[in-house]
Amino acid sequence: MDKSRFLEERRPAWKRFGELCRRMERRNGRGMQPDEISEFSELFRQLSNDLATVRSHNWGTRLADYLNELVARGHNRFYRNKSVRFDAIREFFAAGFPAIFRRNIAYFWTASALFFVPFFAAALVINSNPALATRVLPGDQLETMTRMYDYDPDDAGRPGITEDRAGMGGFYVRNNVGIALRSFAGGILLGTVTVYVLLSNGISIGVTAGYLISQGMGKAFTSFVIGHGAFELTALAIAGGAGLMLADALIHPGQLSRRDALRVRGQEAVQIAAGAAIMLMIAAVIEAFWSPSNAPSILKYIVGIVFWILVPAYLALAGRSHER
Amino acid sequence: MNSSGQVDSQHPAILGLEYQVETPENVRLSYELAGPGIRGLAYGLDCVIRGGLLSIASIVVACMGLPQYFGLEGISTGGFLLLLFFFEWGYFVVCEGLGNGRTIGKAAFGLRVIQSNGTPLTFSSALTRNLIRAADAFPLYGPGFFTMLLTRNFERMGDLAASTIVIRERLVRLPRQPVIVERIAPLSRDEINRYVPDDQILNVIDEFLGRRHVLNHDRGHQLAAILADDLAVRLQFRGNRDQLENFPMAFLARVFVTFHSRESIDSPTVTPASDKPVGKSRRRPTPSRRSRNG
């Protein structure tokens, strides 16, 4: 086989393949005819061969580079992954997310302990000794809180959804989802950031709750938070658990190398974190448009309790039929 | 004969920006890894784009007086904060996840994220590497940069968790025909002895002549002289010394022409392991000719 003859013979195929590659890249190859696709796959195999031929004959690095680039591009197109479809998203929330969550539930329990234990401890301590609250949170922040919840939750005449609620909704999404995702991402730093986020949020929310209850705003506060709390607090612990998964993959890689352990468990952890992020977005909507409404507090408690039953039930039961 | 096989086996030892993947077609693909510098530039461009879009959006929202239509004062603030959230967390996920591993910045600098086995970036990997970006980025991309220096393929922590790499897509063109063999006279039999330069030397000549345009005329001849003199000694060249001394490139071309056509007749080519026919459809006549030779 002679190089110049090889070039002459193969050049049209290479040109054609480059053209087909470009068309595959455009609109994900949707405009292509069936026979063009089979031509693409045939040419892809031929070019793989050509590349091997050029390499084995040492027919110049530039020629090899040229073919390498073409074959790499073809490889990228040929072994395409399934594109994200709407079905897949629905399937994820109907079954995938709760199933993966249950498979890794130990991380969730750990994260819950790191979050809820300081939360209740702080709430109890501050409730019995409110003066300690200023040791944790700045005094003016506590004062603002006190003013915010200084209303009778059963006064139907008070302004319920004030005009800035939509703005607050945006704020809740950015702030809360941001916290949750950071606590997930921080897991890769051996869990340090995750643990810090869980503990500090548990303490500061606990202090706020304990302080407000001690100041006699318990009803206004609890009727406000109970609804979205079901989503928000659970999702924070879920995202923290996902972060702990990353940390655990690095600390206890088991039979795998650390790199592989991180990849394998990271794949599940990221899905859990994504589910938690969506839960927090639901929480933000509730917090912006339901929690501050002037519905009677008894109704808010009932709805809140329903949420607190629905969320765990969803996590515990959804998609169970798929698992067998 | 099969010197090429030996050269190939030494290849992986080279340290550099090369990343290699073995495909199911039994072909080794090589990619050029993108280093922190160019990735930083692409990131910078993405930041400018995000900032620009965000400020345009905020101006539009403010000018349109959106709140009137919805009867909610906070909607513009809320919308702005949602957009901010999207640009903080979603921009890279959406761009890379739907754009086959490229954000606008990466596309501008010819970068692409791929799975480390060479296949396209999956959506879940795009999600993983870009959520973990938060850990890489704080403070000032220090942790990410540090990890990139410690890993073999410039992987930041997000890349490690998602098993992705960032490559530079090279713009390559088919090299032009190296030597116009028809117009160059081969060395005649009585000018030289029976020494036959091996394939490797011929390939070096081929490649050198193919790229002679990057050098100026004098420098090209200077470099060619090194090999030309050596070959002339080995061949005990008795022909035109003038040409050898003044135009060593021409001499190399003549050596190439002389032995390059011989090579295809004399030396049987051993089919290397990586060159097995894979598909049943091969229109190329190569295999039959090969087997006849071998």
Side-chain angles (χ1 to χ4, degrees):
Chain A
M1 193 68 188
D2 172 285
K3 182 181 171 186
S4 51
R5 207 162 54 214
F6 175 79
L7 280 173
E8 207 175 296
E9 233 169 70
R10 302 299 301 152
R11 201 190 286 262
W14 300 342
K15 275 233 171 79
R16 174 75 181 141
F17 186 71
E19 193 184 300
L20 285 174
C21 268
R22 270 193 297 282
R23 298 207 21 214
M24 286 288 265
E25 301 214 354
R26 233 176 285 140
R27 298 180 43 225
N28 278 336
R30 237 164 278 155
M32 291 180 73
Q33 303 298 317
D35 54 324
E36 281 180 323
I37 291 175
S38 55
E39 188 190 355
F40 173 80
S41 96
E42 189 187 321
L43 282 173
F44 174 58
R45 295 207 164 81
Q46 285 184 17
L47 260 82
S48 298
N49 256 301
D50 292 341
L51 175 58
T53 308
V54 167
R55 285 224 180 101
S56 65
H57 286 251
N58 262 336
W59 274 341
T61 48
R62 285 189 314 158
L63 181 57
D65 281 351
Y66 167 77
L67 285 175
N68 180 78
E69 200 60 28
L70 269 181
V71 174
R73 199 164 287 177
H75 180 72
N76 196 280
R77 292 282 108 188
F78 194 75
Y79 293 97
R80 245 186 101 61
N81 297 294
K82 272 184 286 180
S83 50
V84 188
R85 287 194 328 263
F86 182 72
D87 289 16
I89 298 171
R90 210 201 48 185
E91 160 77 17
F92 175 69
F93 287 107
F97 167 54
I100 295 170
F101 168 78
R102 283 194 297 274
R103 238 187 332 229
N104 301 289
I105 199 149
Y107 298 104
F108 168 71
W109 291 129
T110 314
S112 297
L114 287 170
F115 179 69
F116 286 109
V117 170
F119 170 80
F120 283 115
L124 286 176
V125 169
I126 301 296
N127 191 30
S128 60
N129 192 353
L132 286 177
T134 48
R135 299 271 185 95
V136 185
L137 294 174
D140 45 346
Q141 195 182 328
L142 289 169
E143 221 169 281
T144 322
M145 297 268 201
T146 324
R147 253 181 283 119
M148 259 169 65
Y149 290 99
D150 190 14
Y151 59 83
D152 176 11
D154 287 325
D155 173 15
R158 77 188 169 83
I161 301 178
T162 49
E163 47 201 17
D164 66 334
R165 294 323 296 180
M168 286 311 287
F171 170 77
Y172 295 141
V173 168
R174 173 157 183 262
N175 189 56
N176 298 348
V177 181
I179 289 173
L181 292 181
R182 259 187 287 279
S183 82
F184 161 69
I188 205 162
L189 301 168
L190 300 179
T192 46
V193 175
T194 309
V195 172
Y196 173 77
V197 169
L198 288 170
L199 289 178
S200 69
N201 277 285
I203 292 169
S204 67
I205 298 174
V207 168
T208 311
Y211 184 75
L212 289 171
I213 291 168
S214 74
Q215 303 299 303
M217 284 131 202
K219 202 175 182 190
F221 177 71
T222 48
S223 68
F224 178 82
V225 296
I226 190 165
H228 61 263
F231 291 90
E232 195 173 272
L233 302 181
T234 321
L236 262 178
I238 293 175
L244 293 180
M245 274 179 82
L246 296 181
D248 192 49
L250 291 173
I251 297 167
H252 301 119
Q255 297 290 312
L256 302 169
S257 67
R258 288 203 156 70
R259 182 185 277 257
D260 284 342
L262 185 64
R263 179 174 53 83
V264 170
R265 266 183 270 179
Q267 224 153 42
E268 296 209 323
V270 75
Q271 297 188 50
I272 295 175
I278 302 294
M279 285 177 70
L280 282 165
M281 290 182 198
I282 297 171
V285 174
I286 298 172
E287 186 172 1
F289 296 110
W290 164 253
S291 301
S293 72
N294 48 12
S297 57
I298 184 75
L299 183 61
K300 286 194 190 166
Y301 284 129
I302 292 170
V303 169
I305 288 165
V306 170
F307 282 159
W308 274 105
I309 294 168
L310 280 181
V311 170
Y314 162 73
L315 292 171
L317 302 174
R320 270 205 187 267
S321 55
H322 286 245
E323 282 172 7
R324 291 189 192 117
Chain B
M1 263 191 325
N2 196 18
S3 59
S4 50
Q6 288 158 16
V7 171
D8 273 359
S9 66
Q10 284 162 6
H11 245 253
I14 297 170
L15 269 177
L17 296 173
E18 196 92 341
Y19 180 84
Q20 297 197 334
V21 168
E22 175 108 14
T23 75
E25 288 76 26
N26 270 325
V27 172
R28 210 183 52 230
L29 288 180
S30 72
Y31 297 92
E32 187 185 338
L33 293 166
I38 192 154
R39 284 170 71 173
L41 285 175
Y43 177 77
L45 183 58
D46 278 324
C47 283
V48 170
I49 288 166
R50 287 186 295 168
L53 287 176
L54 207 57
S55 36
I56 290 170
S58 62
I59 291 165
V60 167
V61 166
C63 292
M64 269 169 46
L66 212 55
Q68 284 163 244
Y69 300 108
F70 293 94
L72 277 169
E73 291 290 337
I75 201 111
S76 52
T77 328
F80 182 79
L81 286 169
L82 278 181
L83 210 60
L84 194 59
F85 169 74
F86 171 77
F87 279 126
E88 278 172 347
W89 292 96
Y91 171 82
F92 286 98
V93 178
V94 171
C95 281
E96 286 178 7
L98 304 181
N100 194 10
R102 314 174 80 166
T103 60
I104 300 168
K106 285 195 175 71
F109 286 94
L111 306 184
R112 193 190 287 277
V113 188
I114 58 171
Q115 299 293 140
S116 53
N117 62 3
T119 55
L121 183 68
T122 64
F123 194 83
S124 92
S125 288
L127 193 63
T128 310
R129 75 186 295 278
N130 287 310
L131 293 187
I132 292 178
R133 188 178 283 278
D136 279 311
F138 187 79
L140 291 170
Y141 273 88
F145 182 70
F146 189 63
T147 330
M148 271 165 126
L149 296 184
L150 292 181
T151 49
R152 199 175 306 146
N153 306 315
F154 293 127
E155 294 144 299
R156 60 176 177 83
M157 288 184 282
D159 287 320
L160 290 174
S163 78
T164 52
I165 54 167
V166 183
I167 55 158
R168 273 180 95 153
E169 294 199 311
R170 288 168 285 201
L171 267 180
V172 284
R173 269 193 314 214
L174 183 58
R176 48 184 135 177
Q177 202 70 298
V179 188
I180 310 115
V181 281
E182 294 82 35
R183 277 199 265 151
I184 293 168
L187 300 165
S188 88
R189 269 266 156 255
D190 39 275
E191 283 176 332
I192 51 173
N193 61 8
R194 298 197 56 80
Y195 169 74
V196 178
D198 62 19
D199 289 0
Q200 218 178 332
I201 294 176
L202 293 177
N203 285 325
V204 166
I205 297 175
D206 185 25
E207 186 115 359
F208 177 75
L209 294 176
R211 296 169 66 174
R212 67 188 183 280
H213 307 281
V214 302
L215 298 166
N216 67 33
H217 196 71
D218 294 338
R219 186 69 186 137
H221 280 302
Q222 264 176 27
L223 283 174
I226 301 168
L227 183 58
D229 289 344
D230 194 46
L231 278 174
V233 171
R234 293 223 190 173
L235 287 163
Q236 294 174 320
F237 180 63
R238 295 179 292 272
N240 186 356
R241 301 295 305 181
D242 227 31
Q243 187 194 31
L244 174 62
E245 268 148 39
N246 297 327
F247 305 103
M249 260 203 273
F251 177 76
L252 285 184
R254 287 184 72 194
V255 172
F256 178 76
V257 169
T258 313
F259 296 102
H260 142 88
S261 48
R262 247 166 87 128
E263 169 223 18
S264 60
I265 304 160
D266 293 349
S267 65
T269 330
V270 179
T271 313
S274 60
D275 196 16
K276 283 181 292 205
V278 179
K280 51 182 186 292
S281 49
R282 276 170 51 114
R283 294 190 304 215
R284 205 140 49 85
T286 329
S288 57
R289 183 173 300 128
R290 278 236 184 83
S291 54
R292 214 185 303 136
N293 287 341

